[in-house]
Amino acid sequence: MENLKEILGDCRLNHVAIATKSLSQTKGFYESLGLNFSKNEEIVESQNVKTAFASIDEFAHLELLESTSEEGPIARFIEKKGEGLHHLCFEVKNLEGKIEELKLKGVRFLTDKSFIGANNCRVIFIHPKSAFGVLVELSESEKESL
Ligand code: ZN
C-alpha cells in the first residue's frame, strides 16, 4: 500500500447512492452482506429525501435514498427507472475550481451552483448526459483527507 498515494489522483469515490422505496428493507439486505449503517438517518429537506449511510472502506460509503414525498426527485426517479443505482459521488479538492474547469469543457450540471447536501457537504450534480448516462455528484473533500 506504500504506493497508494502515488497512484491516487485528485479525486476519490465518496459514496455510491441507491434509490429505494424502503430504507429499512434495503438496509437489511446490505447489513446481511456485512455493512454497518450509522444509527442516524438524515432528512435532506431540499431534496425531499431520507438517507442512511454505511462505510464501505476508509473513504467510501453506501448511501441509501428514500423519498419523503411523492413529488421528490427520488420518487420521480423510481417512477421512471425503478429502484437501483442512483448516482456516484466523487470528492474533489477544490469544488468551485473544478466546476469552473468542467463548465469550460461544456459539462452540464443539474444546478447552476453548488449547494449543501447530506452530511453538510457542499455538492453539485453533473447531468447524466454529460457523464455517459450516470448521474455524478461532486463534493468538496475535507482538507486533510486528500
Ligand atoms: Zn450523494
Side-chain angles (χ1 to χ4, degrees):
M1 290 299 263
E2 58 196 273
N3 291 326
L4 190 59
K5 270 223 154 79
E6 289 168 33
I7 59 170
L8 286 178
D10 280 346
C11 169
R12 71 173 44 136
L13 183 67
N14 180 280
H15 59 266
V16 174
I18 290 170
T20 174
K21 290 178 188 169
S22 166
L23 214 58
S24 59
Q25 284 182 24
T26 311
K27 247 172 139 171
F29 169 72
Y30 285 101
E31 279 167 350
S32 71
L33 295 186
L35 290 178
N36 295 321
F37 284 84
S38 59
K39 292 205 175 59
N40 302 336
E41 292 177 359
E42 186 186 352
I43 301 224
V44 184
E45 300 282 358
S46 62
Q47 301 290 298
N48 291 111
V49 81
K50 189 162 78 173
T51 67
F53 278 90
S55 289
I56 296 171
D57 61 23
E58 214 180 326
F59 306 110
H61 301 82
L62 183 73
E63 177 183 31
L64 302 179
L65 303 167
E66 181 191 301
S67 191
T68 54
S69 101
E70 283 172 23
E71 301 301 310
I74 295 303
R76 278 187 271 120
F77 175 88
I78 290 175
E79 204 178 287
K80 253 168 66 182
K81 302 191 170 173
E83 294 175 293
L85 184 62
H86 184 262
H87 66 268
L88 299 179
C89 176
F90 293 98
E91 257 180 49
V92 297
K93 267 185 179 168
N94 170 0
L95 182 62
E96 299 308 323
K98 185 58 76 181
I99 293 169
E100 282 316 304
E101 181 190 325
L102 293 173
K103 277 185 177 170
L104 287 175
K105 290 180 178 164
V107 169
R108 288 167 54 200
F109 293 87
L110 292 193
T111 54
D112 201 44
K113 292 197 158 71
S114 64
F115 59 94
I116 302 297
N119 288 335
N120 256 327
C121 284
R122 182 154 284 279
V123 301
I124 195 165
F125 286 90
I126 297 174
H127 196 287
K129 286 202 168 127
S130 286
F132 303 89
V134 177
L135 180 59
V136 174
E137 178 181 14
L138 296 179
S139 73
E140 178 128 278
S141 60
E142 314 237 336
K143 293 289 178 282
E144 68 271 28
S145 76
L146 274 182

